[in-house]
Amino acid sequence: MSSLISCASWVRRGASARHPAKYVLDDQELERVSALARIELEDARVELERAHKAANQMGKGAEGEEADDIAEGEDDEEGWVDEEDEPMDEDGQAAPQSTKKKPEGDLSEYNLDDYDEDEEHETGPFSTIKGLTYYRDNNDDPYITLKEDDEDDEREELEVLPTDNLLVTAKTEDEVSQLEIYVYDESSENLYVHHDLMLPNFPLCLEWLDFPPGSAPPSATVHNDEMETDENIPPPRFGNYIAVGTLDPEIEIWSLDVVEGMYPDMVLGRPDKTAAHVPTPLGTGKKKRKKTKHRTITSAHHVDAVLALSWNRTHRNLLASASADRTVKLWDLSRGTPGGDDNSGGEAIRSFDKIHKDKVQAVQWNEKEPTVLLTGSYDRTVRVFDSRAPDAGVGAAVGGADVEAVRWDPWDAHGFYVTLENGLVLNFDARTLPTSLDSPAPARFTLQAHDGAASSIDVNPHFRGCIVTGGTDKMVKVWNITDEELEGSKRNVSMVTSRDLGVGKVFSTAWSPDDPLTLAAAGSKAKLQIWDVAANFGARKAFGAKLAQAGRELREKTNGGVVGIVDDDEGDNSGGEGE
């Protein structure tokens, strides 16, 4: 598997803990991890039992001389002796006393023959940890060489300032998958890796959320921009977490404020019940087709890879997921205690099984209508439906190509974008979509954005009429959309600038949550690049008036506007200027 970054996600300034905590495997964490690990170890235990039974049954079906040989072999196995070598002394046999001087190099006094004769002790994945000596003060522990002064230096190195952004990337390199967490200091244009977290399988999607898994749901609800609160209920809790979807059917949720983490804070889905790792071939006998059957769908959890995630920023305890099992599921992050016996938040609260007929590639909540979901599928359709009444949803056929990504327009409650495998970008109005997919719905405009697949898209959250797209043609393009439809004409869409940022095929593009013209891009070369589009004269000219109207300041940047991490064997990786 080649090295690549499959997706990237921003973390707004001030959301991260200033001093991230070090992972501590104490008794409470040991109990939590053991409870979660038992789920995975159960499959291994069953397989070992099956292998043991199969081994015991070997030879029972033999006939004639072959069966006799097997039986004799079992009886005589204990008496096997290598005739060429001398028999070994039995354990416990006293060695004869000798007055002769021991030859040089004689190690008999160390009793190495009994080296492996240990007392019986508890076994298990963490059995050796509990026997370690604990020191309340690290200065008293002779094995800790990192003392107070060094700890202060390390604490300073791990510090995340309130003016820093975090960027989380899902990276796979040399068949090893991990989350790499970067710190980006906009004032000094500095980008560096802060820490990383290991993943069990190839990551496909990321979603940042500030709701601590397993905590109580927020007490405040929003209706028509008015906040209704109950003084007797504590205020909602916040945090800094990342949800990860992989080729496995489970969803892992990690805290970004803990370094050197060994296990996620919560796992959505039950690996001991999905049986997703066991392939089901079509046909019987010798002629087997390579294609596999669809796994049996269940309402409690996914049974195939998780392709997309979307966190509900209004109802903060809700997470939506789209999967290759053709379903969309809703998860309540407040259910269960992480690592507890109450399913560990392992079951979905809703499952939408009849929305699409093929893999569901994309899903997103509508920020203006927080109960409405937008989905896109390999069945070449997009659907818009209320999660409370999915059967009353509407949809659109998007033509002869699979859906790559979908995005609601934050400046238009009913508008959304769809990118396709053939490089097209479509814009729809949800109010004009039909309830039937028999005939394609007309798009408000169609844009041929890329020569290859238009693999990613993001809508600028700071001012109206600005989107960025990325494609497998290795280009990142910024587009300006004017609102001329108010005068009865179609929208005017024009490309402002494009650039090859040196990330290879572009798999992820995302606008910064804090800087109006700063975006992040990543792709098939396993590189992350930050691009401040304001460094381009055409961008300043096209968006200057819009930024001023939105009350945002336009600042020019040095270094061509591109910030990245330069490899030792490379020079400038800033990429070349395009149109």
Side-chain angles (χ1 to χ4, degrees), residues 56-117:
N56 291 336
Q57 294 176 355
M58 289 180 64
K60 290 185 178 181
E63 298 179 358
E65 297 180 357
E66 183 180 355
D68 295 338
D69 293 340
I70 293 175
E72 291 176 2
E74 291 177 351
D75 295 337
D76 299 337
E77 185 175 356
E78 296 180 357
W80 287 354
V81 176
D82 192 343
E83 296 178 355
E84 295 181 0
D85 298 331
E86 295 182 1
M88 296 177 64
D89 293 335
E90 296 182 3
D91 292 342
Q93 181 177 356
Q97 298 291 334
S98 175
T99 58
K100 294 182 180 180
K101 184 178 179 180
K102 295 181 180 180
E104 185 178 356
D106 187 6
L107 303 177
S108 60
E109 61 178 303
Y110 298 106
N111 197 23
L112 296 180
D113 291 337
D114 298 332
Y115 179 81
D116 293 329
E117 296 297 326

Side-chain angles (χ1 to χ4, degrees), residues 561-572:
V562 176
V563 179
I565 296 179
V566 180
D567 295 336
D568 294 337
D569 56 346
E570 293 185 1
D572 182 14

